[in-house]
Structures are given as C-alpha cells and as structure tokens.
Amino acid sequence: MDENRIFVTDEMKAMIGQEAVFRGVDEIGKGAIKKFALAVGDLNPLYIDEEYAKKSRYGGIIAPPTFVFDVVHDKKTKIGEDGRGLARIRLPPPFGRILRGGNEYEFLKPVRPEDIISSRRKIIDIYEKQGRSGKLIFVISETTYTNQRKEVLGINRETLIFLRE
Amino acid sequence: MNSKKLLFDDVSIGDKIPSLVEKVTLLQLVMYSAASWNFYRLHWDREFARNKGFRDVNVHGPLLGAFLSQMLVNWIGESGTLKKLKYRNRSMCFPNDTLTCKGKVTNKYSKKGENFIECEVWIESQKAEKTTLGEATLTLP
C-alpha cells in the first residue's frame, strides 16, 4: 500500500461536526452508583452510605466523579458480537483498531441517584499522523452529559486513535 | 478518606499527593465491565484477548482514570472539589498488575473567589513504568 496515500477521505472529513444523542430513560439509582464504586474499589461513604451522605455537604448519595463518563447510560444501544456498542465512533475499513489517545474530563455537577442522564457526542476533528508502523487517524470528540433538568453534569473530550486492522 | 479538612493554605507547590495502590484482578474487570455497561470482550474474555495478540485481557482505560480521580478525592476530602482531570494511557495494563497512582502539586492560585490547585498525576506499574500521565485541577476552601 502507498504510504503517502491521504487517508482522511472526504467521507471521514464529512464526519467532523456530526452529532449523536443518547437518551437515558431510567433514574440511575443508588444501586448502580454502589456497583460502580465497588467495581472501582472506591469505598468513599459518600457513594455508598446514605446516612453518612445525608449529613455531608451534598445532602445525599453522589456518584464517583468518573461515573458520568464511564457508564453507558443509554441501555438501548445495540451491542455487537465482540461486546462493543455499535453506536461507538467508527471509521471505514481498514481502520478497525482503536487506541485511546486521552481523555479530558470536566466535572461540572455532582451526579445523584435521581438523575436521568443523556449525552450528546460531537465529532470535533479528524486528522492523520504518521506513526511508526503506518498512518494513524485521530478522532477528537466531545460528549456533554446532562440530566433531566438540562443541567450539564460534565464534559468529556476524548481522542481516539484508529489503526489499520 | 482524608478525615482532616484540607485547606488551600495547607498546600504548597511541590507537595506530593498520598498515593493509591491498586492490584487489578480479572474479577475487578468483570465487575467494572458490568457496572459501566461496557461488554467489550477484550476486557474479560481471555481467549478473545489472546486471539487479538495480547497476553491477557486489558484493563479498561477509564478504570485508570477512575483510580486517579479516587486518589485525588481521597486527598482533598469532602470540602474540596475535583474540577478537571486529563489523562493519557501510554501502555496496556493487565490483570495482576499492581498500579500505583501518584501526583504532585504544580501550581496554586485564587481566581474569582475560588482557590485552585493544579497537579500532575500519573500511574506507575510494578516495573516502575509510567503507564498513565495526566493533569488535574481542583478547588479547596
């Protein structure tokens, strides 16, 4: 394959600015917060102990900071045979392999059990770089998470690096 | 948890953040996959991971971000607020790795009535390799 070929095709460029909306339906609930905290191994009583949390400045249970970004809140999104959600950002072949290039989280409001979380993902940029073993395609996206009162809970700016499969 | 209230005046540039040690297990990755509704087999199915050319399943990237934020929240306590966390994973982590989250204060300033602290954060493997690099911003009373 010609190494000088320009891989950021018109098809890829057209993805810049595209948005996808994911709507949560259910309140996340104390149970989901507790399961997440236990999975991380984070036993901060603010996340798991109602009585303790009530007396804190938060007045009740809150979720660990990264809960809002890490959890797939729209449970209706379809899952493929390999276990990955089909609504993830994808590029046309041969760019099937993905590395995480970094995340930038902005925590704007504590997440509470009664929140119903939706998100809006926007593709900010797509560009290529020459890697050691070929071209890499960088996809920068920004996902904004809101609750049912339209309060912004947090923003996650993510870089995904696509490699040829 | 830090039971003593950490104040802005207590923090100096160059201070080390108390580290957090995590020994990751396959069980934890299964729990985290379920709790985050991320079922990618690369994180829990050893045969799948080996067929992809890895020696074992991979630790989820965001779990490493969760560890870093846990370290920061443990340090600042309930009166502090984590505002931003930026991180980048440089290498894969695997079950049975012992990961140590570390950090140090790089800047402090007051702006519009809020007291900001900036930190450099990172994760080291048992081989003293930095697997994750990052930066965080938080506020303190």
Side-chain angles (χ1 to χ4, degrees):
Chain A
M1 195 172 275
D2 176 10
E3 284 303 316
N4 297 316
R5 185 175 144 194
I6 301 300
F7 279 97
V8 179
T9 60
D10 289 343
E11 189 185 0
M12 287 185 203
K13 275 188 201 145
M15 290 170 67
I16 299 171
Q18 273 182 14
E19 292 189 341
V21 174
F22 303 96
R23 287 190 204 291
V25 174
D26 303 311
E27 296 188 348
I28 56 175
K30 282 182 278 187
I33 291 175
K34 189 175 278 187
K35 280 181 214 166
F36 183 86
L38 294 174
V40 172
D42 191 345
L43 303 179
N44 187 324
L46 283 177
Y47 313 144
I48 56 179
D49 182 340
E50 178 84 64
E51 288 311 307
Y52 179 93
K54 261 186 200 161
K55 291 182 209 129
S56 75
R57 74 157 156 140
Y58 295 103
I61 296 270
I62 58 166
T66 65
F67 175 94
V68 64
F69 307 122
D70 296 358
V71 175
V72 174
H73 301 290
D74 181 357
K75 303 293 193 275
K76 301 181 301 304
T77 55
K78 295 206 164 52
I79 294 167
E81 177 54 31
D82 65 2
R84 282 193 287 183
L86 297 178
R88 70 183 188 276
I89 294 175
R90 291 192 278 180
L91 290 185
F95 294 97
R97 231 186 118 201
I98 303 178
L99 295 177
R100 285 175 171 275
N103 287 75
E104 211 173 321
Y105 300 147
E106 207 172 327
F107 309 98
L108 295 168
K109 209 171 166 47
V111 172
R112 295 173 182 279
E114 59 274 21
D115 282 337
I116 300 170
I117 303 179
S118 294
S119 62
R120 177 182 290 267
R121 181 184 72 206
K122 185 174 182 178
I123 296 177
I124 303 294
D125 201 7
I126 302 184
Y127 57 88
E128 64 173 55
K129 274 189 187 174
Q130 184 66 45
R132 265 171 300 180
S133 51
K135 290 242 160 64
L136 309 170
I137 308 289
F138 285 65
V139 178
I140 321 294
S141 64
E142 188 176 273
T143 307
T144 304
Y145 294 83
T146 48
N147 65 13
Q148 66 280 18
R149 289 184 297 276
K150 308 273 183 244
E151 294 165 328
V152 180
L153 303 168
I155 300 170
N156 176 17
R157 204 165 289 114
E158 182 166 79
T159 303
L160 295 176
I161 305 169
F162 288 75
L163 293 80
R164 264 182 279 178
E165 193 117 63
Chain B
M1 277 298 296
N2 185 351
S3 52
K4 221 180 103 208
K5 193 168 160 180
L6 187 71
L7 299 172
F8 183 68
D9 289 339
D10 299 334
V11 177
S12 306
I13 293 172
D15 281 0
K16 281 185 184 155
I17 299 170
S19 55
L20 176 78
V21 182
E22 295 281 346
K23 173 140 189 192
V24 183
T25 62
L26 177 61
L27 177 64
Q28 180 171 32
L29 300 187
V30 171
M31 287 167 74
Y32 187 78
S33 295
S36 61
W37 205 258
N38 170 358
F39 300 107
Y40 190 20
R41 290 177 182 274
L42 189 64
H43 303 302
W44 54 269
D45 181 340
R46 286 192 152 139
E47 197 185 330
F48 182 92
R50 282 172 188 151
N51 286 338
K52 288 258 176 199
F54 298 104
R55 66 174 162 88
D56 202 345
V57 295
N58 297 174
V59 175
H60 306 69
L63 180 55
L64 302 172
F67 290 156
L68 286 174
S69 56
Q70 183 185 356
M71 169 187 72
L72 291 160
V73 171
N74 285 355
W75 174 52
I76 62 181
E78 279 168 36
S79 50
T81 304
L82 181 59
K83 296 282 194 187
K84 284 183 190 175
L85 173 66
K86 183 176 168 179
Y87 66 98
R88 184 168 62 84
N89 298 319
R90 302 164 73 223
S91 48
M92 304 268 177
C93 297
F94 299 97
N96 305 316
D97 277 354
T98 300
L99 303 174
T100 306
C101 301
K102 297 185 176 185
K104 68 175 183 211
V105 176
T106 54
N107 196 14
K108 61 180 285 189
Y109 57 92
S110 298
K111 196 172 141 187
K112 292 179 184 162
E114 279 196 290
N115 299 319
F116 291 89
I117 303 284
E118 290 176 345
C119 317
E120 186 188 332
V121 294
W122 66 94
I123 299 179
E124 279 177 26
S125 72
Q126 63 277 10
K127 291 177 226 147
E129 180 196 8
K130 286 188 180 178
T131 64
T132 305
L133 301 176
E135 293 158 36
T137 306
L138 48 96
T139 56
L140 286 176

